[in-house]
Amino acid sequence: MTGRISPLTMPKLGLTMKEGSVAAWHVAPGGTVTEGEPVADIETSKITAAYDAPVSGVLRRQVAECGQTLPVGALIGVVADSDVPDAAIDAFIAGFKPMED
């Protein structure tokens, strides 16, 4: 049995926030992500804030590049157990649909 795959999505940092960008990644692909610890910095037109990981696992992909502007809810990274095959990560990214507000 393979492990779980969890999305890291662009957080909504304020009531009026529509989009943001990854200012910096704190964890490199292949690195361990700990729930509640900063995984990236998110920049908006008003602030830059740490984005704390919603889950623990291995950062398998950084989907968003630093400086890339994306809407709230967009996929920015993928956390998965180390036993999840790369093909499953690719399929997860290809089929990802942001949640509607």
Side-chain angles (χ1 to χ4, degrees):
M1 182 176 137
T2 57
R4 62 186 167 73
I5 302 174
S6 300
L8 297 177
T9 58
M10 181 61 67
K12 187 167 187 165
L13 301 175
L15 291 175
T16 60
M17 181 179 166
K18 300 278 186 231
E19 61 186 19
S21 63
V22 176
W25 283 99
H26 295 296
V27 179
T32 301
V33 173
T34 303
E35 183 177 353
E37 294 292 316
V39 67
D41 287 339
I42 302 297
E43 186 173 18
T44 72
S45 59
K46 297 180 181 179
I47 62 165
T48 299
Y51 174 48
D52 295 338
V55 295
S56 295
V58 176
L59 181 62
R60 297 290 298 271
R61 296 282 166 78
Q62 292 175 346
V63 178
E65 296 179 19
C66 288
Q68 182 180 6
T69 300
L70 295 166
V72 168
L75 187 66
I76 63 170
V78 178
V79 174
D81 294 333
S82 57
D83 63 346
V84 175
D86 283 342
I89 303 287
D90 293 339
F92 179 84
I93 292 169
F96 183 80
K97 301 264 190 292
M99 288 178 34
E100 295 298 319
D101 220 8

